[in-house]
Amino acid sequence: ARLMPPSTIDASGTCRKFDNARWLSDDQIATIKEWADAGAPEGDPLPPPPLPQLESLDDANFAVEMPEEYQPVGSPDHPNDDYHCFVLDGPEADGFVTGYEILPGVSREVHHMILVTSLDDETDAQLQAQDDADPTPGFSCFSNIFDGNINVLAGWAPGKNVVHYPEGTGLQVVGGHKLVMQIHYNLLSGTPLPDATALKLTTVPKVAKEAMIAPIADDDLDVPPGQQAGKY
């Protein structure tokens, strides 16, 4: 019936053709049916392939972790999600981030992470006030992470592992200021466990090209089906 894997895209060709569509052909379905009707016989057993060696940030010169474990907890409106910010000490010297590695503490519940750095004392004070006002480590931050004079340094989700920015480019950090690590915890995988996520950065004193990350999203984009190309 082509109901799995679940997808909102109709790849049958009645609307549009999609490259690499997750949609089985009639021949593929017939092959699976023939195998199932035969009692699902096992093929030639093969040993499992070796696991790939995970890359590490070998040239990292800065590392920091959450100062204490945090116990994720949902809210009445979002019982399975917790967005929490953690204020960390940043690099001591001015420089530019050229690579990073995120080390999730409880990988099954760390859904994604955004890392920013404060660029001035006023933003440091604002972050510290938010931290002090929340009795838990860090502070709840569904949407207020981008307040103040900050620079976005990194974004992480499972599978990303180590990231190197293009050669000769880097993202500015001002020495002696705070980092803020926003983590989205998703709690559907089981009983929430205390987490202590860590990160590593590679910084250099200067780069040929200063880069920046700018979050851009059109939350109001609405394209009804059946529109002609070029209308939007």
Side-chain angles (χ1 to χ4, degrees):
R2 297 184 175 92
L3 297 179
M4 293 296 291
S7 174
T8 57
I9 296 177
D10 179 352
S12 65
T14 58
C15 178
R16 293 286 190 273
K17 293 287 189 179
F18 294 93
D19 291 340
N20 305 311
R22 302 173 70 188
W23 185 274
L24 295 179
S25 68
D26 290 338
D27 288 343
Q28 290 171 326
I29 291 176
T31 297
I32 296 172
K33 183 178 185 303
E34 181 181 352
W35 170 77
D37 291 343
E42 182 180 359
D44 295 333
L46 296 173
L51 293 175
Q53 184 67 36
L54 292 179
E55 184 184 4
S56 63
L57 195 66
D58 295 332
D59 60 352
N61 54 8
F62 176 82
V64 66
E65 64 180 359
M66 291 159 48
E68 58 182 300
E69 290 185 334
Y70 170 69
Q71 175 64 62
V73 59
S75 66
D77 292 334
H78 302 280
N80 298 313
D81 297 283
D82 184 358
Y83 285 78
H84 214 78
C85 284
F86 304 93
V87 181
L88 311 171
D89 291 332
E92 294 182 0
D94 293 354
F96 296 86
V97 173
T98 60
Y100 64 88
E101 179 181 4
I102 307 303
L103 305 167
V106 182
S107 57
R108 67 177 174 85
E109 64 188 20
V110 179
H111 182 273
H112 73 266
M113 188 268 341
I114 297 173
L115 179 69
V116 305
T117 180
S118 166
L119 297 176
D120 59 31
D121 292 337
E122 183 179 350
T123 302
D124 281 350
Q126 173 190 320
L127 294 170
Q128 192 60 56
Q130 289 177 279
D131 194 346
D132 293 343
D134 193 308
T136 66
F139 56 92
S140 179
C141 60
F142 181 78
S143 63
N144 62 344
I145 184 176
F146 297 110
D147 292 343
N149 185 16
I150 64 169
N151 200 18
V152 181
L153 298 180
W156 177 90
K160 201 160 190 177
N161 199 26
V162 170
V163 171
H164 297 279
Y165 289 126
E167 185 175 356
T169 65
L171 300 161
Q172 182 190 24
V173 289
V174 178
H177 288 295
K178 298 296 186 180
L179 302 175
V180 182
M181 183 168 58
Q182 184 203 45
I183 296 181
H184 170 204
Y185 294 101
N186 183 273
L187 311 179
L188 285 172
S189 62
T191 302
L193 299 174
D195 174 70
T197 290
L199 63 91
K200 296 192 292 185
L201 302 176
T202 299
T203 66
V204 296
K206 60 182 180 179
V207 291
K209 296 180 180 179
E210 181 179 345
M212 67 178 298
I213 297 174
I216 299 174
D218 186 348
D219 295 334
D220 298 322
L221 181 65
D222 182 15
V223 181
Q227 301 302 307
Q228 295 299 312
K231 183 175 180 179
Y232 285 86

